Amino acid sequence: MEPENHTGIPEFYLLGLSENPEIQSVLFGLFLSLYLVTVFGNLLIILAIVSDPKLHTPMYLFLSNLSFSDICFTSTTVPKMLLDIQTQSKLITYAGCITQMYFFTVFGLLDNLLLTVMAYDRFVAICHPLHYTVLMNPKLCSQLLLLAWLISILGALPESLTALRLSFCAVVEIPHYFCELPEVLKLACSDTFINNVVLYIVTGIMGFFPLAGILFSYSQIVTSVLRISTVGGKYKAFSTCGSHLSVVSLFYGTCLGVYLSSIWTQASWAGVFASVLYTVVTPMMNPFIYSLRNRDMKRALNTLLCSVPSSS
């Protein structure tokens, strides 16, 4: 029997990370700092790649798109949370909640697919170096990027559209700092069987196939590298994909943390903490990983930063 106080246009309230007023200012300062570091760090990566002709290669083309996606991914959740803390308001409209869920899914899927494309790029570079320029030509790179964007935009539609069919109670309190779909489904007054089926199908397809592609690419890379006779050659081959492998590990590690925490524990704080790692920490760490582990990026960033004072 469904509750009788459900409505077509409910009011959603994001309870945030804590209701303690003394912690609010700390959370505001912490997440504002993390957000600014994420935005400026990824913008520096994009500017360094655009300004340095030596970085106009497929690998860095994909990296610039990943940095842009990370900025958008974080921007779907953190600014709203900061605004809520600053204004002491927890309200988010029904349309705003659905919109946030959609774009959060779009850029999450895009990150996933871009990491897969980057793994394929490293596979071609290491396993077929003589044919790299032919295989990874500008036309193919553009097609791969276009395909990643289209799949992300279309792949996020089923979850968001099926959420529109749900009915909610007049007041919905979400124990989170953004409208995460699994949390919203738990609060629906109507049957969520179809929504859960769609969620599992989309998550399964968009999670399994990209991860399988990444694992296949790196299995081939490892096999190819082990055939190299010299230690220096092995180190050089591994160093070309070390940054990407670090980002892949961080991305999938935090993603698994979100879903495993929701399965193995009913404590809401565990899922929220895992979501913070997934949505805030990972996009912030990517620029550091690529700038610290990549000599070309270090050189490009130094050139970019040193040219700022001279140009003024």
Side-chain angles (χ1 to χ4, degrees):
M1 186 84 179
E2 294 183 4
E4 296 183 1
N5 62 336
H6 63 274
T7 178
I9 307 178
E11 289 186 340
F12 288 85
Y13 289 89
L14 298 171
L15 299 184
L17 296 174
S18 174
E19 296 186 25
N20 189 340
E22 297 178 357
I23 302 180
Q24 295 298 307
S25 58
V26 177
L27 290 175
F28 181 84
L30 174 63
F31 277 85
L32 178 61
S33 302
L34 294 175
Y35 180 65
L36 291 177
V37 170
T38 300
V39 172
F40 287 119
N42 282 287
L43 276 178
L44 278 177
I45 294 290
I46 295 172
L47 291 174
I49 293 172
V50 171
S51 62
D52 192 338
K54 293 181 180 179
L55 298 184
H56 293 175
T57 62
M59 173 183 174
Y60 295 105
L61 172 65
F62 300 140
L63 176 58
S64 62
N65 275 264
L66 180 65
S67 292
F68 177 75
S69 177
D70 281 338
I71 293 173
C72 297
F73 184 53
T74 307
S75 297
T76 60
T77 58
V78 177
K80 171 60 179 172
M81 183 187 69
L82 295 175
L83 180 63
D84 289 347
I85 295 176
Q86 189 68 19
T87 60
Q88 298 296 309
S89 173
K90 300 177 181 180
L91 177 66
I92 181 171
T93 63
Y94 175 74
C97 191
I98 298 295
T99 301
Q100 188 181 60
M101 282 194 295
Y102 173 72
F103 283 105
F104 176 81
T105 306
V106 167
F107 293 111
L109 293 177
L110 184 59
D111 268 13
N112 193 16
L113 293 173
L114 287 174
L115 289 175
T116 307
V117 171
M118 293 171 74
Y120 174 72
D121 173 72
R122 292 300 84 203
F123 160 71
V124 176
I126 294 174
C127 299
H128 305 282
L130 299 179
H131 304 285
Y132 179 76
T133 54
V134 176
L135 294 175
M136 298 302 295
N137 56 78
K139 182 180 179 180
L140 177 63
C141 293
S142 300
Q143 290 174 341
L144 288 173
L145 284 176
L146 179 61
L147 188 62
W149 277 93
L150 284 177
I151 292 176
S152 301
I153 292 170
L154 297 177
L157 284 174
E159 296 177 346
S160 302
L161 291 177
T162 52
L164 294 173
R165 60 178 288 276
L166 297 174
S167 61
F168 296 89
C169 297
V171 177
V172 182
E173 293 185 342
I174 303 173
H176 216 308
Y177 64 94
F178 70 97
C179 289
E180 191 173 33
L181 182 58
E183 292 294 331
V184 173
L185 292 180
K186 294 176 184 177
L187 303 172
C189 295
S190 56
D191 181 53
T192 60
F193 175 76
I194 295 177
N195 300 79
N196 285 315
V197 170
V198 171
L199 175 62
Y200 291 137
I201 291 175
V202 172
T203 302
I205 294 175
M206 301 304 293
F208 172 77
F209 287 104
L211 181 58
I214 292 173
L215 293 177
F216 173 79
S217 296
Y218 274 99
S219 67
Q220 296 300 306
I221 289 172
V222 171
T223 302
S224 179
V225 170
L226 291 178
R227 295 197 189 105
I228 300 176
S229 57
T230 63
V231 177
K234 291 180 179 179
Y235 175 79
K236 182 179 180 181
F238 273 123
S239 65
T240 60
C241 56
S243 300
H244 179 256
L245 191 56
S246 300
V247 171
V248 167
S249 302
L250 184 62
F251 180 81
Y252 279 100
T254 52
C255 285
L256 288 175
V258 172
Y259 291 102
L260 291 179
S261 64
S262 63
I263 294 173
W264 289 347
T265 178
Q266 296 298 319
S268 59
W269 63 266
V272 172
F273 177 74
S275 295
V276 170
L277 294 177
Y278 173 42
T279 60
V280 181
V281 177
T282 300
M284 181 193 70
M285 290 300 297
N286 288 354
F288 290 102
I289 292 174
Y290 277 104
S291 60
L292 293 176
R293 294 181 60 94
N294 189 299
R295 285 187 300 175
D296 291 333
M297 280 304 309
K298 285 182 182 178
R299 176 186 51 77
L301 287 171
N302 287 332
T303 302
L304 177 65
L305 294 175
C306 291
S307 65
V308 173
S310 61
S311 63
S312 59

